[in-house]
């Protein structure tokens, strides 16, 4: 995989842990028809990131039967596959073989970014107009007179009209919207200044005046639109990437009708009372009750419990992954009333508190706008009182409005945030919007979830070295037949020699795997079931995973949940930064105590319900803390929403990632202190930029009030202040975060502790 | 100075052409995958037709 090695390896890793291939019915459901038997399926492939990836994917998919074309979009990390025929080509499996983890991309959230297209068009029109008017204005400033000057002014006026109508429309609409609701925003002075300047310039032109401000009013729009576009690009881009990472929720399920017919229905059409067939490895789309079959369920995303849960008929299940055996369940709630939907509601309720946060730019503009208007108005009154010349008073008032243009202010915040987001992106962290960085910079308490956040949520075999390699190889070959997390951990130790010859391999859901070799029975699984001859009681009599031959125990396996790389270092850095750390988990007190002990976390609360985490965060918030929540599970979602700011790993549940402000793509937890570092630095730069903008105004405004500002000076001053702000922001590009430099890749095993008890 | 009568419209026309070219490129989706476009020049496609 050449240059893609790190990313693609991570994909393989995740693939082994969580990926479930969607069925062909599900793919068909998610594809859209382009007419004429042609269908298009959009896949999200988060690990595509270079030319080699594009080529590999497009070539491999293009070779599949029935595939018309495949096109990779590198910016959004998506692949659009067009195909014909009734049979769905196996493109997800083909991508999986190449090492790319692909997920269906829901077409309903794939609406094109219309705002961005409009902003870019507006920038283009404003730039075109500003450039041309500036050329004409330079001629006027350098001494054009009489008819020539008037001609130039008229041409400028003509060019400015479409620019104002089209590019200015964005500001006029926003300003009007704010005024209608009795609010003030940054767009109001812009709209007033631009239109007054245009009207005044037109008046001057008609009356053969010396000065016109067409250039100022249009280039003002140009600069502001650049700032606005940057702001928008940053927010949208991260958001689509977050959306597209992976879609964990099932899109539909096989429904068993009364007459024995089977239909694949989308989740929205599943109603209570329907019987659903859930194969091993599928997700359970709605809440339900098991009526047939036994299996192991992976509940880690829902409850935070890391050990798979053994289920039997009669038990209730909700939104989890079915690991080992086929199940028939009866739906007890429609999708909109399910556990998943409940989490969304809890999250929305919790997010209300955060919505009150106002961005720095908004807070500044709330002060700025009235001051600017008042200054301009007082200037106007002052000049009328002093000279009685209303025309001159008006000209000067407009000059004041224009020179105080929040140009620098409009760029000050977004430009820094774009540079900071870029830096974070390079380090594998995606930011949802600029206010997230502002909030992160002010947080002082970090709350971590355990399973999947501090730990990887995947068991690892730790006593491999004490097991006879030949026996381990047998166990690994047997384990390769199962999806159980423990099996996967064992299967990783398969010998290079190849498969053992088993006569028959069967999986007994909830118990383990049985294989017959040359007349003897091998079992890998629960101690009680596998080791029926060696019925031992005592310390491990109730559980433990063992390999047995004809009922006699040959080897027993000990598993641990591995800590996330750099977890200890990351927490230490947070401590150094003066942040208190706490751990909340839905897992048992023992498991939490072990992790807390290894990482040196003083405070932790275990066995919490999802609402309990959100409540704990509210308690902390009430006590005056600004809380950062780091979590990945469905059960963390309300807490992610309730916290001041939140971070989720890319392996988190879909809804969790959408609730979080930051998503980190790499395994290392050092993303958290890094994001904090960059955010704090960005916050400082934003304050500096605002200070620059204010100092500029403090110098320029008195000159304008005194009536010494010509259009040339106004234009130069405005551009200079903007450039200064951009230059200051680019200092962040060279900023190196003080993260510990590693020479060797982290050895996970040295960080592990016994967390997951074998069941 | 009569040359201005020609030059100004010519300048505006040329600028307008550039602007409409940009808007056309924008509408035809050429800015949808900037990173992909930057990487694609590295791909040899001797035998593969443009898709």
């Amino acid at each position: 995989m050449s240059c893609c090695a790190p990313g693609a390896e991570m994909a393989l890793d995740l693939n082994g842990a969580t990926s479930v291939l969607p069925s062909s019915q599900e793919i068909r459901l998610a594809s859209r028809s382009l007419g004429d038997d042609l269908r298009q399926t959009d896949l999200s492939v988060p690990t595509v990131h270079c030319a080699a990836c594009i080529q590999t994917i497009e070539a491999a998919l293009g070779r599949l039967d029935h595939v018309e074309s495949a096109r990779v979009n590198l910016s959004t990390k998506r692949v659009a596959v067009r195909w014909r025929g009734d049979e769905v080509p196996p493109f997800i499996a083909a991508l999986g073989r190449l090492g790319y983890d692909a997920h269906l991309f829901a077409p309903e959230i794939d609406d094109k970014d219309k705002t961005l297209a409009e902003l870019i068009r507006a920038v283009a029109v404003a730039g075109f107009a500003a450039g041309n008017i500036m050329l004409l204005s330079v001629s006027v400033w350098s001494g054009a007179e009489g008819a020539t000057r008037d001609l130039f002014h008229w041409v400028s006026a003509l060019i400015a009209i479409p620019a104002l109508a089209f590019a200015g429309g964005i500001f006029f609409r926003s300003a009007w919207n704010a005024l209608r609701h009795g609010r003030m925003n940054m767009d109001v002075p812009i709209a007033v200044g631009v239109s007054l300047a245009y009207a005044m310039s037109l008046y001057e032109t008609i009356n053969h005046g010396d000065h016109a401000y067409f250039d100022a009013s249009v280039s003002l729009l140009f600069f502001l639109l650049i700032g606005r576009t940057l702001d928008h690009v940053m927010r949208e881009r991260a958001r689509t990437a977050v959306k597209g990472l992976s879609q964990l929720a099932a899109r539909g399920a096989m429904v068993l009708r009364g007459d024995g017919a089977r239909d694949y229905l989308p989740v929205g059409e599943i109603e209570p009372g329907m019987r659903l067939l859930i194969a091993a490895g599928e997700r359970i789309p709605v809440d339900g009750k098991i009526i047939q079959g036994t299996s192991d369920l992976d509940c880690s995303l829902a409850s935070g419990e890391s050990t798979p849960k053994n289920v039997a008929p009669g038990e209730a299940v909700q939104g989890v992954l079915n690991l080992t055996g086929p199940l028939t369940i009866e739906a007890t709630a429609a999708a909109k009333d399910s556990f998943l939907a409940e989490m969304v509601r809890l999250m929305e309720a919790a997010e209300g508190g955060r919505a009150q946060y106002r961005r720095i730019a908004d807070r500044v503009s709330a002060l700025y706008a009235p001051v600017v208007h008042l200054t301009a108005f007082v200037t106007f009154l002052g000049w009328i009182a002093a000279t009685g010349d209303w025309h001159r008073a008006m000209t000067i008032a407009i000059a004041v409005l224009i020179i105080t243009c929040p140009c620098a202010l409009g760029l000050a915040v977004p430009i820094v945030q774009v540079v900071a987001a870029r830096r974070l992106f390079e380090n594998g962290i995606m930011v949802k919007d600029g206010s997230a960085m502002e909030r992160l910079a002010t947080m002082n308490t970090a709350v971590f979830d355990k399973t999947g956040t501090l730990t990887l949520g995947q068991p690892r075999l730790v006593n491999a070295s004490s097991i006879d390699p030949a026996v381990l190889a047998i166990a690994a070959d047997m384990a390769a037949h199962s999806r159980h997390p423990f099996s996967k951990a064992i299967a990783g130790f398969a010998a290079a020699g190849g498969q053992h010859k088993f006569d028959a391999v069967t999986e007994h859901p909830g118990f383990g795997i049985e294989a017959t070799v040359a007349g003897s029975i091998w079992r890998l699984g629960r101690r009680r079931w596998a080791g029926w001859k060696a019925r031992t009681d005592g310390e491990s009599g109730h559980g433990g995973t063992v390999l047995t031959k004809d009922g006699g125990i040959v080897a027993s396996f000990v598993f641990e949940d591995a800590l996330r790389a750099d977890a200890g270092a990351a927490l230490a850095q947070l401590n150094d930064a003066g942040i208190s750390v706490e751990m909340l988990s839905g897992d048992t007190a023992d498991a939490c105590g072990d992790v807390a002990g290894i990482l040196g976390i003083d405070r932790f609360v275990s066995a919490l319900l999802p609402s309990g985490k959100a409540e704990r965060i509210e308690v902390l918030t009430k006590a005056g803390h600004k809380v950062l929540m780091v979590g990945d599970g469905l059960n963390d979602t309300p807490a992610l929403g309730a916290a001041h700011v939140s971070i989720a790993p890319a392996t988190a549940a879909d809804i969790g990632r959408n609730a979080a402000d930051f998503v980190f793509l790499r395994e290392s937890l050092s993303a958290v202190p890094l994001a904090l570092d960059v955010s704090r630095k960005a916050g400082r730069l934003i304050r500096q930029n605002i200070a620059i903008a204010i100092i500029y105004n403090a110098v320029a405004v008195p000159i304008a009030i005194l009536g010494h500002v010509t259009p040339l000076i106004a234009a130069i001053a405005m551009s200079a202040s903007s450039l200064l702000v951009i230059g200051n922001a680019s200092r962040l590009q060279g900023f190196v975060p003080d993260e510990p430099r590693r020479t060797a890749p982290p050895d996970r095993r040295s960080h592990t502790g016994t967390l997951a008890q074998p069941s | 100075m009569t040359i201005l009568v020609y030059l100004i419209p010519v300048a505006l026309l040329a600028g307008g052409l550039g602007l409409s070219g940009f808007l056309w490129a924008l509408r035809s989706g050429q800015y949808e995958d900037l990173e992909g476009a930057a990487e694609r020049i590295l791909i040899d496609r001797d035998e593969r037709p443009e898709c």
Side-chain angles (χ1 to χ4, degrees):
Chain A
M1 207 66 57
S2 64
C3 69
C4 310
E9 269 167 18
M10 188 185 90
L12 279 174
D13 217 23
L14 296 178
N15 200 19
T18 57
S19 168
V20 180
L21 293 189
S23 65
S24 45
Q25 291 103 322
E26 195 167 348
I27 295 176
R28 179 168 278 282
L29 204 67
S31 67
R32 62 195 152 97
S33 175
L34 301 175
D36 193 26
D37 197 28
L38 191 65
R39 301 184 78 82
Q40 175 167 339
T41 307
D42 289 300
L43 300 173
S44 161
V45 188
T47 45
V48 188
H49 64 279
C50 64
C53 302
I54 297 178
Q55 193 175 23
T56 316
I57 290 178
E58 289 186 354
L61 292 183
R63 274 199 297 274
L64 291 177
D65 285 343
H66 303 300
V67 171
E68 286 283 305
S69 69
R71 176 101 187 162
V72 176
N73 183 329
L74 192 64
S75 312
T76 49
K77 313 244 183 244
R78 276 182 222 152
V79 181
V81 189
R82 296 185 172 188
W83 49 281
R84 288 180 191 281
D86 302 324
E87 201 78 350
V88 179
F91 34 72
I92 295 193
L95 286 175
R97 276 197 297 280
L98 295 172
Y100 295 100
D101 197 15
H103 309 275
L104 281 178
F105 189 75
E108 62 265 19
I109 53 173
D110 182 22
D111 46 344
K112 271 210 180 154
D113 193 351
K114 293 208 182 69
T115 326
L116 180 64
E118 195 191 344
L119 278 172
I120 292 181
R121 274 199 291 273
V123 171
V125 171
F128 165 78
N132 283 296
I133 296 177
M134 209 53 103
L135 276 177
L136 294 169
S137 302
V138 168
S139 322
V140 175
W141 299 332
S142 44
E145 278 183 345
T148 320
R149 186 188 57 209
D150 282 352
L151 173 70
F152 283 5
H153 279 168
W154 275 113
V155 174
S156 300
L158 282 178
I159 301 173
I161 287 175
L164 284 185
F166 189 73
I170 291 170
F171 297 98
F172 291 132
R173 276 197 299 276
S174 160
W176 171 241
N177 199 30
L179 284 180
R180 213 177 40 186
H181 293 94
R183 287 184 289 111
M184 222 13 178
N185 66 8
M186 198 86 111
D187 295 334
V188 177
I190 297 167
V192 172
V194 166
S195 38
L196 266 182
Y198 186 81
M200 192 66 206
S201 307
L202 207 58
Y203 175 85
E204 289 279 320
T205 307
I206 293 168
N207 290 297
H208 312 287
D210 289 341
H211 297 302
Y213 294 89
F214 294 117
D215 55 325
S217 69
V218 176
S219 56
L220 186 97
L221 284 181
F222 182 51
F223 275 111
L224 289 171
L225 280 168
I226 292 176
R228 189 143 310 188
T229 310
L230 288 177
D231 194 34
H232 185 83
V233 164
M234 193 204 83
R235 285 193 225 182
E236 263 328 287
R237 181 174 160 163
R239 201 170 296 159
T240 50
V242 170
K243 270 186 197 163
L245 262 173
S246 71
Q247 308 272 317
L248 286 176
R251 224 159 251 102
M254 187 68 80
V255 173
L256 189 64
R257 301 279 189 198
D259 56 2
R262 293 171 179 201
D263 283 326
Y264 193 85
L265 289 185
V267 169
E269 289 174 26
I270 294 173
E271 282 162 19
M274 283 186 173
R275 288 181 169 214
L276 311 177
L277 293 174
I278 312 283
E282 279 191 351
R283 280 173 198 281
I284 301 173
V286 294
D287 295 0
K289 200 179 72 187
I290 298 174
I291 43 183
Q292 206 184 337
T294 51
S295 180
D296 293 284
L297 300 183
D298 178 356
C299 303
S300 57
L301 282 178
S303 66
E305 226 173 296
S306 45
T307 313
K309 191 173 140 200
N310 181 218
V311 291
E315 285 184 61
V317 290
Q318 42 185 215
V320 288
L321 178 62
N322 181 18
L323 288 171
T324 51
L327 291 175
T328 307
I329 68 164
E330 186 181 297
T332 51
K336 62 178 175 16
D337 306 316
S338 68
F339 174 70
L340 213 83
E342 176 66 23
M343 285 301 115
V344 177
R345 271 196 295 279
L346 271 172
M347 185 192 89
E348 280 167 356
E351 254 187 349
R354 198 160 69 183
Q356 288 158 12
Y357 183 85
R358 293 174 65 229
R359 301 202 301 147
I360 292 178
D362 294 340
R363 276 179 281 168
V364 171
S365 70
L367 283 176
Y368 198 84
V371 169
V372 168
H373 282 106
L374 207 66
T375 315
F377 189 61
V378 168
T379 309
F380 176 68
L381 291 184
W383 277 93
I384 281 196
T387 62
D389 179 357
W390 76 267
H391 172 244
R392 190 164 177 209
M394 193 72 181
T395 314
I396 292 171
I398 289 172
V400 169
L401 260 187
I402 286 180
I403 208 151
T404 56
C405 129
C407 228
L409 208 56
L411 279 173
V413 179
I415 189 83
V416 173
Q417 286 174 342
V418 167
V419 177
R422 180 84 215 169
R423 276 212 69 84
L424 288 176
F425 193 76
E426 282 161 9
N427 287 289
I429 304 163
M430 295 192 299
V431 190
K432 218 184 251 173
D433 69 69
S435 82
M437 275 190 273
E438 292 174 13
R439 282 181 275 131
L440 184 64
T442 60
M443 70 96 173
N444 54 17
T445 305
V447 174
F448 286 86
D449 166 52
K450 186 183 76 70
T451 316
T453 307
L454 289 173
T455 71
L456 286 169
Q458 300 163 23
R460 235 166 256 278
L461 185 61
V462 284
N463 62 341
S465 55
S466 63
I467 298 172
D468 178 9
V471 173
L472 190 59
I474 296 173
D477 287 341
M478 285 174 72
H481 292 89
S482 168
R483 285 175 176 276
H484 196 286
F486 290 171
S487 298
K488 283 184 183 157
I490 297 178
F493 289 91
Q499 295 277 321
H500 281 75
K501 289 275 181 287
F502 297 120
D503 296 330
V505 181
T506 45
E507 179 161 20
H508 295 265
F511 298 102
I513 307 156
E514 186 177 89
T516 49
V517 187
S520 49
I521 297 171
W522 291 79
R523 280 181 174 183
L524 175 68
R526 282 164 201 276
R527 180 179 287 264
R528 239 186 215 175
W529 169 78
W532 71 92
K533 273 186 189 158
R535 189 166 290 282
T536 52
D537 35 29
E539 31 95 38
S540 52
H542 59 280
T545 301
V546 293
L547 178 70
T548 64
K549 184 184 181 187
D550 294 330
I553 294 173
V554 181
S556 52
F557 302 94
V558 180
F559 297 96
E560 294 172 349
D561 192 357
L563 287 183
R564 209 171 255 282
D566 294 335
L571 294 185
Q573 282 184 51
L574 286 179
N575 267 326
D576 292 345
I579 282 149
S580 62
V581 176
E582 198 169 316
M583 183 171 85
L584 303 179
S585 177
D587 213 341
T588 58
D590 283 352
C592 290
D594 288 338
V595 177
I598 297 164
L599 294 176
I601 299 174
D602 304 330
R603 289 182 295 165
F604 67 88
V605 189
S606 58
L608 279 173
L609 292 173
S611 55
K613 290 191 184 181
E615 277 162 20
R616 174 72 192 143
I617 285 176
E618 268 158 35
V619 169
L620 285 170
T621 309
K622 287 229 174 73
H625 296 276
K626 295 252 166 67
V627 183
L628 161 74
M629 173 75 201
V630 191
D632 74 319
L634 275 175
N635 58 332
D636 298 317
T637 309
L640 289 172
H644 188 57
V645 55
S646 51
I647 303 182
T651 46
D654 218 24
I655 160 174
R657 276 201 314 269
N658 281 335
D661 296 310
F662 295 83
V663 174
F664 60 98
L665 305 173
R666 302 194 186 146
E667 200 179 88
S668 165
L669 203 60
S670 66
V672 177
L674 178 72
L676 175 68
D677 231 19
V678 173
S679 297
R680 284 188 171 173
K681 179 88 181 167
R684 274 200 294 280
L685 284 177
I686 285 175
R687 283 192 181 79
Q688 284 170 14
N689 272 351
I690 289 176
I692 290 175
I694 288 173
I695 290 171
Y696 152 76
N697 279 323
V699 175
V701 169
I703 304 174
I705 290 175
L706 293 175
H708 295 304
V709 173
T710 63
L712 180 63
I713 294 175
I716 291 175
M718 207 171 65
S719 310
S721 72
S722 298
L723 288 177
L724 202 61
V725 159
I726 294 170
N728 192 39
S730 64
R731 291 200 304 142
L732 194 60
Q733 198 67 52
F735 155 72
V736 181
D738 41 322
E739 61 183 325
R741 293 260 162 258
R742 288 188 168 275
T743 46
D747 178 12
R748 286 172 191 160
R749 246 155 244 166
S750 66
H751 293 279
T752 52
T754 37
L755 311 178
Q757 301 299 320
S759 57
Chain B
M1 274 303 171
T2 46
I3 191 124
L4 287 178
V5 178
Y6 304 106
L7 278 185
I8 291 176
V10 165
L12 287 179
L13 201 70
L17 269 179
L19 179 67
S20 50
F22 175 76
L23 291 179
W24 167 79
L26 190 69
R27 193 163 308 139
S28 67
Q30 299 197 25
Y31 290 89
E32 267 166 31
D33 184 15
L34 292 175
E35 280 172 36
E39 297 277 353
R40 270 171 205 276
I41 57 163
L42 300 173
I43 302 176
D44 282 331
R45 46 176 106 216
D46 297 334
E47 80 285 15
R48 241 163 50 84
E50 176 67 45
C51 53

